[in-house]
Amino acid sequence: MDEEFERLRREPDPVRRGRRATELLATYQQRSVELARLRRTAIEEARDQLGGSYTKVAKAFGLTKGRITQIRNSAPPAHRAFFGVGPLDVALVGRRIFEREDMVIAAEDDVTGTHLLAEVEQLAFTAERLVIDPREEWEPARDAIVVCGPASAHIGNALISVDPVLGMTIADGGRWYIVDKTTGERFGSPMDDPEPRRACVAYLARHVREGQVITHIAGIHALGSIGAAQYLTDHLADLYAAHPDESFSMAVSAEFDALTPKSIDVLIPPRAWA
C-alpha cells in the first residue's frame, strides 16, 4: 500500500492520478472499516479471557471504558467478514432481447440485487452493482456477490464447477437440477413440475480464496435466487460463525407470494469443502 501510495503521488497524468486516487480512497476506507471490526472482535475475545470485565479490557487496550463501549456499539459486527473486506461488487447477469445491444435485468434479479446491496451497505461496505454481459468471460477483480446460474454466463459455470460437494445439471429434456455429489440426490424446481407451484430452489456458496471472497447464488430459476439471498442475510451471523474461514455450499427451497418469499427451508445444509 505504501509503495502504491507513493507511486500515485508521483503520477504526472492528472486523469490517471484522479481515477486511481478515487479507487484507493474506497480501498483505504474499507480497510479502516475492517480494522474497526477486528478491534471490536478483539474486545469481545479479550473480555472472555479477562473474566468478563470490560474495565480490564479497557486497561489492557489503553482506552477508557467509555471508549470501549463506543467501539462495541459503533463498529461493524464480526459476521461482516462473511463477504470479505471490500470494496464489494454485486454482479447480476444481463439478458439480451433479440438483437438489441442494451441489456435488461429480470425483475427477480433486480429484487435480489436491490436486497443484497441494501444489506451489505448496512454492514458498511462500499458496494457497486454490476451487470454481467453473458457473451463475455468476466471474472471478479475484488470481493463479490455473483447472482448467476451456470447456463447464464461464463462466471456462473466457472464458480459452480469448482464445488466438490454440490453442482447443477440439466436432464429430463432440459430441466435443471441441484445435485448432491455425495448421495447423487437431485432437486428440481417446483415451477417445472407437471402441476407447477410458485416455489423454487437455489444454490448458495461461499468461495474463500487468498485475498478474495466470492459469494455465489444461483437459482434454478431467477425466482429461487430471491429466496437464497433472503436466507443468506437472515442467517449471516450463524453461517459466518460456522464457517468463518472456509468455503462451503448449500441449497434452499422457498415458497413465494409474487416476488416475496413466504417460507424458506434448507434443502441441503451447509457443507464445507475439504
Side-chain angles (χ1 to χ4, degrees), residues 141-159:
R142 54 189 186 178
D143 295 331
I145 305 174
V146 178
V147 182
C148 177
S152 299
H154 165 264
I155 185 61
N157 182 64
L159 289 173

Side-chain angles (χ1 to χ4, degrees), residues 63-64 70 72 80 91 149 160 176 184 207 223-224 245 250 268:
L63 301 171
T64 66
Q70 183 184 44
R72 292 176 56 232
R80 178 187 188 272
I160 205 167
W176 280 92
H207 298 246
L223 186 67
D245 301 310
M250 62 179 299
I268 304 173

Side-chain angles (χ1 to χ4, degrees), residues 95-142:
R95 302 169 191 268
R96 294 193 172 274
I97 299 178
F98 304 113
E99 299 300 321
R100 288 172 52 181
E101 278 301 311
D102 55 322
M103 292 184 292
V104 299
I105 295 291
E108 296 89 343
D109 286 341
D110 184 59
V111 169
T112 300
T114 299
H115 174 76
L116 291 169
L117 273 173
E119 293 294 324
V120 298
E121 286 173 356
Q122 286 290 321
L123 292 171
F125 277 101
T126 297
E128 182 179 358
R129 175 163 140 164
L130 301 180
V131 179
I132 304 168
D133 189 329
R135 303 172 301 180
E136 298 178 358
E137 295 190 1
W138 176 81
E139 291 282 346
R142 54 189 186 178

Side-chain angles (χ1 to χ4, degrees), residues 67-217:
R67 180 62 178 137
I68 291 292
T69 300
Q70 183 184 44
I71 292 168
R72 292 176 56 232
N73 292 336
S74 62
H79 60 261
R80 178 187 188 272
F82 182 96
F83 297 113
V85 176
L88 185 67
D89 289 326
V90 177
L92 310 170
V93 66
R95 302 169 191 268
R96 294 193 172 274
I97 299 178
F98 304 113
E99 299 300 321
R100 288 172 52 181
E101 278 301 311
D102 55 322
M103 292 184 292
V104 299
I105 295 291
E108 296 89 343
D109 286 341
D110 184 59
V111 169
T112 300
T114 299
H115 174 76
L116 291 169
L117 273 173
E119 293 294 324
V120 298
E121 286 173 356
Q122 286 290 321
L123 292 171
F125 277 101
T126 297
E128 182 179 358
R129 175 163 140 164
L130 301 180
V131 179
I132 304 168
D133 189 329
R135 303 172 301 180
E136 298 178 358
E137 295 190 1
W138 176 81
E139 291 282 346
R142 54 189 186 178
D143 295 331
I145 305 174
V146 178
V147 182
C148 177
S152 299
H154 165 264
I155 185 61
N157 182 64
L159 289 173
I160 205 167
S161 66
V162 300
D163 186 334
V165 297
L166 301 181
M168 294 181 74
T169 188
I170 191 168
D172 300 339
R175 183 173 181 177
W176 280 92
Y177 295 90
I178 296 173
V179 179
D180 185 327
K181 294 181 179 179
T182 302
T183 66
E185 192 173 7
R186 63 185 193 179
F187 304 89
S189 171
M191 295 176 69
D192 299 323
D193 288 346
E195 296 182 6
R197 290 186 293 114
R198 189 71 176 168
C200 198
V201 300
Y203 168 91
L204 169 61
R206 180 179 185 239
H207 298 246
V208 181
R209 303 174 174 178
E210 186 175 349
Q212 184 184 41
V213 177
I214 300 175
T215 304
H216 182 205
I217 292 174

Side-chain angles (χ1 to χ4, degrees), residues 241-258:
H243 305 280
D245 301 310
E246 60 190 4
S247 302
F248 74 89
S249 53
M250 62 179 299
V252 301
S253 63
E255 301 273 348
F256 291 87
D257 179 5

